[in-house]
Amino acid sequence: MTGHEGPAVQFAIMGPARVWRGEDEVDLGPVQQRALLALLMARAGDVVSTDEMTTLLWRGDPPADPVNAIYRHVGVLRRLLQPQLPVRSVGRWLLRESSGYRLAADVAAVDLLRFRDQVRCARQLARAGDAEQAVTIFREALDLRSGAAASGLPTDIRAHSAFAAIDSEYLAAVKHAADAALACAAVSAMVPVLHRVAAEHPLDEAVQARLVLCLAASGQRAEALDMWHEVRRVLADELGVSPGAELRAAQQKVLVGTVVPAEREGAANAGAPAQDEAPPTEGVRAPGFSAALAPRPSDSSGGVRVVTRPAQLPPDLAPFAGRQRELDLATGFLSLYDGLDATAIVAIQGMAGVGKSTTAVHWARQVAHRFPDGQLYVNLRGFEPGAQAVDPGDAIRVLLEALGVTADQIPAALNARVSLYRTLLAGRRILVFLDNARDAVQVRPLLPGGGGCLVLVTSRDRLLGLAAVDGARVIQLGLLADTEARELLTRRLGEARLAAEPAAAAHIIATCAGLPLALALVASRAAARPRFPLSAVVAELRGSRHGLLDTLRDRDPMGDLEAVLSWSYDALSRQAARVLRLTVLHPGPDITRSAVASLAGVGVREADRLLHELVRTNMLVEHRPGRFTCHDLLREYAAKRIAHDSAAERSAAGLRLLDHYVCTARTAAHLLSPWWVEAEPMAASAGVVCEEFADAGHALVWFSAERVVLRELVAHAARKGAHGHVWRLAWAMERFLDRQGHANDAVKILGAGLSAALREGNRSAQAHLHRALARANTRLGRHGTARRHIRTSLTVFAEIGDSLGLAHAHRCHGWIMDQLGRYEASLGEARQALVLYRSLGNRVAEISALHALGWTHLLRGEPRLAEGYFARSITSIKAYRDPYAEASAWYSLGCSRQEMGQYDAALECYRTALAGYRDGADHYNEATVLDRMGDALRALGDLAGAHRMWGDALDVMAQFDGAATDAIRAKRDADSVPEAGLFG
């Protein structure tokens, strides 16, 4: 407790995420802030890890320091909840735990906790026979909801399992409440709720059946029958299925006038065969009658009785390690079905060797006790060497035999087998494990027709159809984290052996790159030679001429890593296999669809189709929207395969790839800097696809997304001797790298470009790249190196007679002099540039030179003189529609006014500049403006506003090079901050 609590705080998550302090609603701020608090509310009382917060807020593309960004959001939220909270105080509500944060709120403060408490009480009353009181409390609980959980947040945030779970809890409570109302004939209070929920879940047969029964029980028999026919039409139109057993039973009761309480429904259906198609689901559905109360199949199912309790789960792996998050996800999903008469479907998918079956077996054995009628298992052989995937009819035959059905009782036709299978499972709680499925089509006939069962599926396919149509919860099994990989090795080799050679253990973990099968194979080799040091294993891995795949060969295909990967590869279409092979020509770390199209020499639509196949089969991973990558060992496998392609094919594909990036970088550079001087153009090869951009903002986004790829590509092209591509890429990237503060990358890339231009003898490229290197080295404080480069640039431009290039070099030289405090020399260089620009009639460059003169005057302590230059720049540049130049001029004008103490006027200039930079997605300059706005607000005495601005600047700045973040953080974290001006 802090003593600064103020009015009572109320939290609401069953609808839009909202907070009240007393009678006043709190403005929770921007989307990420609201999303973070919404997640804490959804998990009220439980710790939410920073990893989960990072995934929610940045959806796979976090900043460089997400923990710091989360810390800032939490700090802002704490002060919104307790405005008088002292700086650095934790406060009452948001507590830091070892792995994350927790909302420390009780039942009285959070609507979700009150809802759960009331539902728990109502269910206890219903079980005790007091249905009427139960309905009253159910209604109080249901009235707490004002919409879908976290509504108002973006769809991709709302898709988080924590919010989906709240909606599922509410849906389950509605069903329990309807059952209690039918038990005591107090249905009128439930009809409006059921109408609303049924409209939200038109394919949930359990909700629709309860609405039909409650309408009839309230005297609206005609409306009940009309509703039943409408539901039947929707099911037919949307899913192509007929109403299930529960809906048919509800209709029958209405027709004969015997609407009975839900608790006695099971008896009315005794002996009925359950031969319906497994109904597709949407979220959590209840397609059949209550599994806990339904009878076992009787002789009415054609004389077949189940006489066997199957127990077919494979043995658990004793040294199982890691996967706790995935196990918790699966268990959490299964818990949503507690008390519901619905079949749960959990699908675990991932690449070859990632441990799908091992994880599935481990989890199945953890939850097997929930399914007392047994466990069925069948290997569908979707991806195995030289084997056809198991036909669904054959799979059902295996399952029927496991249930005790004799061969002569198994029908010949597939439909008849499916009907018998579903009849025998109706009313039983059985775990059905379908291992190694080829796709959703193979799985669908094997789904039970009623509730109460769990279907567990593993596959290398993504099984999107099973999720979309059948309501499966698909869990992506990724690579093991280093800590999990070490745990796996420890369980197989012992802690002492790993602790004795930590460097060797770390090398094994790095080499296997998180793939469980690779780790297990290496560990098994080490375990077979217990007296050998781990360094001997490392030496074996390093000594292989052909990589890890050849090292981990075995006579048993299941223990041969290359064989396991080949089963997925062999299942690909010929075109998709070619694309996978060609991707090894790309230096990485990831690739876009247009780059794939160029690499393969196909259109973008065809590339999309082939990428979809590779992602669906987990040969590639779309780790960020539109960006694809693959595991190092799959890349090694593809590299072995491409060795069989002709040298001409490989060479042509590599040339198309380089042409794609040169062409696209040139297009992006023109948009980013319309007055950029282009290098000597290079014609692209046939089949090359160049990216097209709507505006400069999109071009900047492309450069930012491709920065690492382009850096690797420049090094790759230099090794290949593609000198023309190297210096053209470097030239095209120069303005982007400089504007975005990537000075270290600039020195490497521009240096490689200069070396290539020297080898090719291109003097113009040499002069431009010397100038660019002078600027990049100045950014890093390497002034001696910078001056050598700029002198060479001036000399070469003069020798080749390039007046425009010479003017640019003079202007750059002036800027370098500014950084050294040599302002008279700077003014001289800027004036030489100005004379050359005017002689060439280059009005835009002339305006830029005047802008540079303004900055030199500002640095000399002459802000009023500088203001005149900047104001003229703004007026002049408007005619040329260069948003970046205009935003820069407004920023400069703001700096001059801030130095004159005109802080409000400076803030107005900064806001205009900020809008321009944001429109152009220029995040580096956005952060610079936010920092200066913080300084101005601090000078005006608005410390809270200054801290917000500095925090926002830190969030944006985290992705860039340089020490600016330290300076901003020091200002933000200081208890008191001196008035900030341009000079300190």
Side-chain angles (χ1 to χ4, degrees):
M1 288 291 200
T2 67
H4 296 272
E5 292 187 26
V9 178
Q10 294 288 321
F11 300 88
I13 189 59
M14 298 188 69
R18 303 173 72 182
V19 177
W20 290 266
R21 295 184 66 254
E23 299 297 319
D24 299 323
E25 184 168 358
V26 177
D27 182 354
L28 298 178
V31 167
Q32 287 190 328
Q33 219 160 266
R34 286 186 286 128
L36 178 59
L37 185 58
L39 181 58
L40 289 166
M41 286 192 280
R43 297 278 177 77
D46 295 332
V47 177
V48 180
S49 71
T50 52
D51 286 345
E52 185 175 3
M53 293 178 181
T54 299
T55 300
L56 175 76
L57 298 184
W58 291 286
R59 279 89 76 191
D61 188 19
D65 188 1
V67 174
N68 183 64
I70 290 169
Y71 170 80
R72 187 185 70 78
H73 285 313
V74 170
V76 173
L77 287 168
R78 282 172 173 162
R79 283 157 186 78
L80 288 175
L81 299 176
Q82 295 174 264
Q84 304 306 315
L85 192 67
V87 176
R88 294 197 180 93
S89 294
V90 172
R92 160 72 177 84
W93 302 105
L94 304 182
L95 304 185
R96 183 78 169 95
E97 303 287 352
S98 59
S99 60
Y101 292 88
R102 174 171 61 90
L103 175 62
D106 55 20
V107 171
V110 185
D111 62 346
L112 177 60
L113 298 182
R114 292 198 302 277
F115 168 80
R116 287 171 175 167
D117 188 61
Q118 289 173 323
V119 168
R120 191 180 303 111
C121 177
R123 292 188 66 180
Q124 289 173 350
L125 288 168
R127 284 194 293 269
D130 191 353
E132 190 169 347
Q133 182 62 21
V135 172
T136 300
I137 297 178
F138 267 129
R139 278 306 313 271
E140 291 175 3
L142 297 176
D143 286 345
L144 291 171
R145 181 181 188 259
S146 60
S151 54
L153 289 173
T155 303
D156 53 350
I157 291 177
R158 281 207 61 250
H160 191 281
S161 59
F163 306 132
I166 295 173
D167 293 337
S168 296
E169 281 187 66
Y170 182 82
L171 185 61
V174 169
K175 296 171 185 177
H176 287 302
D179 292 343
L182 286 166
C184 64
V187 295
S188 58
M190 284 303 302
V191 169
V193 178
L194 284 166
H195 263 303
R196 173 172 50 78
V197 175
E200 293 174 0
H201 302 274
L203 303 179
D204 190 314
E205 297 184 41
V207 168
Q208 306 295 340
R210 285 165 172 81
L211 175 56
V212 168
L213 292 172
C214 285
L215 283 170
S218 65
Q220 304 176 65
R221 183 171 178 272
E223 290 82 352
L225 291 172
D226 287 344
M227 177 59 65
W228 189 91
H229 286 292
E230 174 62 16
V231 174
R232 183 182 65 173
R233 183 192 64 77
V234 171
L235 290 172
D237 290 349
E238 297 293 327
L239 302 177
V241 299
S242 301
E246 191 169 10
L247 267 171
R248 294 199 307 273
Q251 181 204 31
Q252 185 64 25
K253 292 173 185 177
V254 175
L255 288 172
V256 300
T258 57
V259 177
V260 296
E263 287 77 4
R264 300 199 301 275
E265 274 190 314
N269 292 287
Q275 298 181 357
D276 309 293
E277 288 291 317
T281 62
E282 187 169 284
V284 178
R285 302 186 61 231
F289 48 81
S290 172
L293 301 170
R296 309 261 178 183
S298 69
D299 286 338
S300 62
S301 59
V304 176
R305 295 180 62 86
V306 175
V307 296
T308 301
R309 180 186 179 278
Q312 295 190 312
L313 286 182
D316 198 1
L317 183 67
F320 183 85
R323 301 303 190 195
Q324 194 55 53
R325 186 185 72 86
E326 290 84 356
L327 296 172
D328 289 345
L329 276 175
T331 303
F333 175 64
L334 186 59
S335 68
L336 298 178
Y337 284 79
D338 289 347
L340 299 182
D341 47 351
T343 292
I345 308 172
V346 176
I348 297 177
Q349 62 95 6
M351 67 173 289
V354 83
K356 299 177 293 297
S357 296
T358 301
T359 302
V361 168
H362 187 73
W363 181 68
R365 288 196 167 273
Q366 288 183 345
V367 299
H369 65 279
R370 302 191 187 191
F371 302 92
D373 294 320
Q375 308 96 41
L376 295 168
Y377 173 86
V378 62
N379 183 353
L380 297 176
R381 304 186 184 280
F383 298 88
E384 288 199 7
Q388 291 287 328
V390 175
D391 180 80
D394 293 335
I396 292 178
R397 177 180 55 76
V398 171
L399 294 171
L400 288 173
E401 289 173 348
L403 289 167
V405 181
T406 60
D408 61 316
Q409 292 176 313
I410 297 176
L414 173 61
N415 288 343
R417 289 185 182 184
V418 171
S419 296
L420 178 59
Y421 168 69
R422 289 177 177 159
T423 295
L424 295 179
L425 262 58
R428 296 171 64 84
R429 296 186 61 78
I430 286 183
L431 191 161
V432 182
F433 185 177
L434 307 176
D435 198 10
N436 197 14
R438 177 71 175 222
D439 51 33
V441 174
Q442 187 188 25
V443 169
R444 195 163 286 121
L446 310 181
L447 301 178
C453 293
L454 165 64
V455 179
L456 177 58
V457 186
T458 68
S459 180
R460 299 184 193 185
D461 189 272
R462 294 179 69 192
L463 300 175
L464 296 179
L466 204 66
V469 177
D470 304 282
R473 179 60 58 92
V474 179
I475 296 174
Q476 168 79 39
L477 210 60
L479 303 171
L480 293 176
D482 285 353
T483 53
E484 294 176 311
R486 181 180 174 82
E487 181 186 355
L488 187 153
L489 291 179
T490 300
R491 295 200 176 192
R492 289 173 176 264
L493 300 176
E495 176 60 36
R497 197 168 178 190
L498 268 65
E501 297 182 84
H507 181 85
I508 291 171
I509 290 170
T511 302
C512 294
L515 190 67
L517 179 58
L519 285 159
L521 292 174
V522 173
S524 67
R525 287 172 178 251
R529 295 174 287 184
R531 296 185 181 181
F532 282 33
L534 288 183
S535 56
V537 177
V538 170
E540 183 181 7
L541 296 177
R542 284 177 169 159
S544 173
R545 294 175 55 195
H546 303 292
L548 191 63
L549 294 182
D550 280 353
T551 305
L552 300 180
R553 300 301 294 265
D554 195 271
R555 293 175 62 183
D556 177 5
M558 298 301 292
D560 185 325
L561 183 57
E562 183 172 351
V564 171
L565 296 178
S566 73
W567 304 338
S568 291
Y569 178 85
D570 291 343
L572 295 173
S573 68
R574 181 179 58 81
Q575 299 94 330
R578 174 175 175 264
V579 165
L580 181 66
R581 295 195 304 274
L582 290 175
T583 57
V584 304
L585 301 177
H586 189 279
D590 53 14
I591 189 169
T592 62
R593 53 176 45 88
S594 60
V596 168
S598 296
L599 194 57
V602 299
V604 174
R605 293 185 66 177
E606 176 66 3
D608 267 334
R609 185 185 69 80
L610 298 173
L611 284 167
H612 175 75
E613 180 180 347
L614 290 166
V615 170
R616 180 176 55 79
T617 54
N618 280 288
M619 300 299 277
L620 291 182
V621 175
E622 189 175 9
H623 71 118
R624 287 163 54 195
R627 306 193 71 83
F628 304 86
T629 187
C630 75
H631 189 273
D632 289 346
L633 293 173
L634 263 174
R635 188 175 175 85
E636 185 180 319
Y637 176 82
K640 291 187 70 175
R641 290 290 188 139
I642 201 173
H644 300 294
D645 289 278
S646 70
E649 163 74 354
R650 298 196 302 270
S651 176
L655 180 61
R656 288 194 299 268
L657 183 71
L658 290 174
D659 285 354
H660 160 78
Y661 282 106
V662 168
C663 168
T664 304
R666 185 173 67 234
T667 302
H670 268 303
L671 283 169
L672 197 62
S673 185
W675 316 109
W676 171 73
V677 178
E678 185 178 2
E680 299 170 15
M682 174 185 284
S685 308
V688 170
V689 176
C690 286
E691 294 273 11
E692 296 180 358
F693 308 107
D695 52 35
H698 287 91
L700 184 55
V701 167
W702 181 83
F703 265 131
S704 298
E706 297 285 358
R707 177 171 65 94
V708 176
V709 171
L710 289 166
R711 184 181 65 202
E712 296 301 316
L713 195 74
V714 165
H716 171 75
R719 289 192 297 269
K720 295 290 185 182
H723 305 308
H725 289 88
V726 173
W727 67 254
R728 284 179 172 86
L729 280 171
W731 193 337
M733 293 178 69
E734 182 247 329
R735 296 304 298 143
F736 158 73
L737 293 169
D738 181 64
R739 286 186 187 178
Q740 294 298 293
H742 299 303
N744 288 307
D745 274 358
V747 168
K748 293 176 184 175
I749 292 169
L750 297 170
L754 178 59
S755 296
L758 287 166
R759 286 188 174 90
E760 203 173 73
N762 190 301
R763 300 268 284 163
S764 177
Q766 292 167 28
H768 278 280
L769 291 164
H770 274 298
R771 178 190 54 75
L773 278 163
R775 191 172 180 90
N777 278 284
T778 302
R779 294 280 194 197
L780 295 173
R782 301 168 184 168
H783 299 296
T785 302
R787 294 182 69 184
R788 286 194 295 274
H789 278 297
I790 197 62
R791 283 196 294 266
T792 303
S793 178
L794 287 164
T795 300
V796 177
F797 275 130
E799 288 175 355
I800 65 177
D802 185 343
S803 298
L804 182 59
L806 184 62
H808 289 331
H810 277 301
R811 189 186 163 202
C812 180
H813 195 189
W815 176 79
I816 294 170
M817 294 297 99
D818 278 342
Q819 313 313 305
L820 294 171
R822 298 178 57 184
Y823 302 125
E824 287 301 325
S826 174
L827 289 172
E829 292 291 329
R831 287 172 183 140
Q832 287 189 64
L834 189 60
V835 169
L836 286 168
Y837 289 143
R838 284 174 173 166
S839 70
L840 294 168
N842 192 325
R843 178 60 176 150
V844 173
E846 179 185 341
I847 296 167
S848 178
L850 290 170
H851 185 249
L853 284 166
W855 262 100
T856 304
H857 285 297
L858 185 58
L859 293 167
R860 279 168 50 125
E862 301 166 339
R864 192 166 298 281
L865 185 57
E867 181 187 27
Y869 281 105
F870 298 146
R872 286 198 299 275
S873 293
I874 291 171
T875 301
S876 302
I877 204 66
K878 285 182 181 294
Y880 295 94
R881 296 183 181 180
D882 186 342
Y884 175 83
E886 193 170 342
S888 297
W890 278 107
Y891 168 71
S892 300
L893 183 62
C895 290
S896 65
R897 288 178 174 171
Q898 183 168 342
E899 288 309 304
M900 291 187 288
Q902 300 171 9
Y903 299 114
D904 287 320
L907 283 168
E908 286 302 312
C909 295
Y910 291 149
R911 290 187 185 102
T912 304
L914 186 65
Y917 287 136
R918 281 177 170 167
D919 285 347
D922 190 334
H923 301 304
Y924 185 79
N925 282 303
E926 175 189 351
T928 303
V929 176
L930 288 167
D931 178 28
R932 294 306 303 272
M933 291 178 77
D935 294 345
L937 288 168
R938 176 64 183 88
L940 289 169
D942 183 0
L943 185 58
H947 277 219
R948 283 196 300 274
M949 290 298 172
W950 290 327
D952 289 344
L954 282 172
D955 282 351
V956 178
M957 189 70 79
Q959 60 190 295
F960 301 114
D961 299 338
T965 53
D966 294 334
I968 299 171
R969 188 176 288 110
K971 288 188 287 188
R972 186 200 63 179
D973 294 343
D975 286 334
S976 61
V977 184
E979 284 198 9
L982 187 62
F983 306 108

